[in-house]
Amino acid sequence: MKTIMIFLFVSMYTMIYGQNQESNKTTCLNGKHGVTNAKDVVIIPCVYDSIEQISSKYYRTVKENKVGIIDISGKALIPNQYEKIVQISEKYFQTTKDKKVGIVDVNGKVIVINEYDSIKQISLDYFTTTKDNKTGLVDINGKVLIQNEYDDISMVAVNRFKTKKNGKFGIYDLNVNQ
């Protein structure tokens, strides 16, 4: 009985998920791209040079060689002003502008301005940043916690980070150093 219940659940999930995935499709009109539903009703008008669904909630769009993000209803979340956008979590996107990276949330709010050579998420709340081969730390709100002056930073415990500078190691405790 348990096996049958699991089979039925998986079958129903697959059927529903499959219908949702197939219900919207990208379409093209006069060289521009948009999205229609299964009945060919336009959901997102054909105004983009390209459009790609990147998750169940978001589409990456290209317009005049600039990348942006819209939701499944067509609402613009992140304007088409970036060279590249990569989703790094459910709520955040890494953006590239003028070959520098930053972070924008799903509402289009700039969390970390595009001034870094690279950004790496090391926990839910923290990102290491690299600028001119030096590493720093910012939080999820974009606040600079550690300036870009270290060779390396890694998280060792909640609010505690191992730092490396000029071959020497230390511990940076946000509870003490803030």
Side-chain angles (χ1 to χ4, degrees), residues 119-172:
I119 295 177
K120 180 180 169 188
Q121 189 167 15
I122 60 171
S123 76
L124 289 175
D125 297 322
Y126 301 111
F127 297 89
T128 56
T129 58
T130 304
K131 185 192 294 186
D132 300 324
N133 292 320
K134 294 295 179 183
T135 303
L137 185 76
V138 298
D139 69 11
I140 201 69
N141 299 310
K143 181 180 177 186
V144 175
L145 302 172
I146 302 174
Q147 294 294 324
N148 290 78
E149 59 186 49
Y150 292 91
D151 300 322
D152 190 38
I153 297 174
S154 58
M155 189 169 191
V156 294
V158 175
N159 293 332
R160 294 184 77 185
F161 301 87
K162 181 172 88 173
T163 59
K164 179 182 177 187
K165 186 175 184 180
N166 299 325
K168 296 182 180 181
F169 294 90
I171 296 292
Y172 195 98

Side-chain angles (χ1 to χ4, degrees), residues 11-100:
S11 296
M12 287 175 46
Y13 176 81
T14 302
M15 186 173 71
I16 292 168
Y17 180 76
Q19 286 175 347
N20 288 340
Q21 291 299 307
E22 293 175 16
S23 62
N24 295 339
K25 59 185 176 184
T26 58
T27 187
C28 184
L29 180 65
N30 298 325
K32 297 293 182 179
H33 299 266
V35 176
T36 59
N37 67 14
K39 296 179 181 177
D40 288 330
V41 174
V42 174
I43 297 170
I44 300 169
C46 296
V47 296
Y48 298 100
D49 299 329
S50 71
I51 190 167
E52 170 192 16
Q53 190 165 8
I54 59 171
S55 74
S56 62
K57 296 180 181 181
Y58 307 116
Y59 287 91
R60 181 182 299 114
T61 60
V62 177
K63 200 174 198 179
E64 298 175 7
N65 293 321
K66 297 294 181 182
V67 181
I69 299 293
I70 61 175
D71 67 13
I72 58 174
S73 70
K75 178 183 172 191
L77 303 175
I78 300 173
N80 290 79
Q81 64 183 23
Y82 297 98
E83 297 157 9
K84 183 178 177 182
I85 298 177
V86 177
Q87 188 171 3
I88 56 174
S89 73
E90 188 174 325
K91 295 186 201 178
Y92 299 99
F93 296 86
Q94 180 174 303
T95 58
T96 303
K97 190 175 194 177
D98 299 324
K99 299 183 181 177
K100 298 292 183 182

